[in-house]
Amino acid sequence: MIRAFDAFSLPLLRWFDPEDAHRMAIQGLKLLPPIRQRVDDPKLAVRAFGLNFPNPIGMAAGFDKSAEVPDALLRLGFGFVEIGSVTPKPQAGNPRPRLFRLERDEAVINRMGFNNDGAEAVLRRLAARAAGGGIIGVNVGANKDSSDRVADYVKLIETFAPVASYFTVNVSSPNTPGLRNLQQSAALDDLLARVIDTRERVRKNAGDSPVLLKIAPDLSLAELDDVVHIARSRRVDGMIVANTTLARPSTLREENRAKEQGGLSGRPLFRLSTRMVAETYVRVEGAFPLIGVGGIDSGGAALTKIRAGASLIQLYSSLVYKGIGLVEDIKRDLSSTLLRTGRDSLSEIVGADAATITAEDWPVR
């Protein structure tokens, strides 16, 4: 059924403006009939952040911003879904057009600007499906016009702690002016201190809520040193590496479209984001797991990201070009690799190539 859906929908959606096509995809998922979810290969199960993931493939934040279709995505085979970014107040985001396909590069540029329905509406949806199970992470961000952005993050932790499987603190989107400044040492330390303090304060009533930090791939290694040091000292539960990039690699073929402002994702981000996964992995020294995201469009790419140091991975832009069948393709390839190499779990190969990758020349930006 998924193959048939991809064969029909991918060419059709290409005829529409990217944002309209995205809206159509969300509406289509709302109409998805109940399907029997395949049982995942037990060897693909991952234990991370105190959670048991049935497989390592997640839907990245940005697709289901307002928690409209998390259960449909889980039924399609994702091991977890991250909704958001959610802000305390509803937000329209930046003016359209703000989403662009780079077809020949299998890439996307977006400058969405945290458009979402706001915390109240999203909480209502997540509370209504809370008994449905599955791992649903909540990616939290600050409103563009907020006078106290740290307070926004604190409020969102308080709001969603009862219904979030985990939180992602998003300080790495390039599309909210000044947001990436929260990655600077003093600001990040203050933010994480207050977020973790809030998590601990609500733990008694809301249960455990792992906190992850999502970083940009454009950090220098000195900046990464500081970020990892603060993340470890504040005892976050994990990191997501990495968000979209402001860089425009010289290899891009869609030269005119590449001039659009915003964050670049998809295949051209793969080498840079994978290098950042490896660099982060060696600095973390096993203190917490990583989620790798950026340019994963095949089983081989997923395996490379895992061997660079990612315990889990996330997809989004590649689905625009490969379709939802990519999820099962990657799972099948990972299972085949484990069987062929005599491994019992993916944890045995996490970070196996990290040292080698960090010794290579830096990817061309």
Side-chain angles (χ1 to χ4, degrees), residues 167-200:
F167 286 104
T168 296
V169 177
N170 187 355
V171 292
S172 52
S173 170
N175 301 316
T176 297
L179 187 77
R180 284 191 172 191
N181 293 338
L182 289 174
Q183 293 177 122
Q184 296 174 0
S185 296
L188 182 63
D189 188 53
D190 177 60
L191 170 63
L192 290 181
R194 291 181 61 182
V195 164
I196 296 297
D197 179 68
T198 304
R199 189 271 305 273
E200 294 304 311

Side-chain angles (χ1 to χ4, degrees), residues 8 16 18 24-25 32 84 96 98 118 141 144 150 169 200 206 208 213 224 241 251 262 269 282 300 327 347:
F8 169 76
F16 293 89
M24 291 171 66
L32 185 73
R96 293 181 65 167
R98 54 193 180 177
K144 181 178 180 179
V150 175
V169 177
E200 294 304 311
D208 211 9
L213 175 67
L224 182 62
V241 187
T251 54
L269 181 57
V282 299
V327 177
S347 64

Side-chain angles (χ1 to χ4, degrees), residues 68 89 98 136 237:
E68 297 179 82
K89 296 184 294 184
R98 54 193 180 177
I136 308 294
D237 298 282

Side-chain angles (χ1 to χ4, degrees), residues 62 65 85 91 93-95 98-100 108-115 142-144 149 170-180 216 243-246 248 260-265:
K65 292 176 179 291
S85 292
Q91 191 162 269
N94 294 321
R98 54 193 180 177
L99 184 63
F100 309 90
V108 172
I109 290 175
N110 92 84
R111 51 174 181 263
M112 303 298 288
F114 282 177
N115 57 305
N143 280 114
K144 181 178 180 179
R149 286 180 169 171
N170 187 355
V171 292
S172 52
S173 170
N175 301 316
T176 297
L179 187 77
R180 284 191 172 191
N243 213 319
T244 58
T245 180
L246 289 172
R248 296 292 185 268
E260 294 287 351
Q261 292 185 332
L264 174 72
S265 59

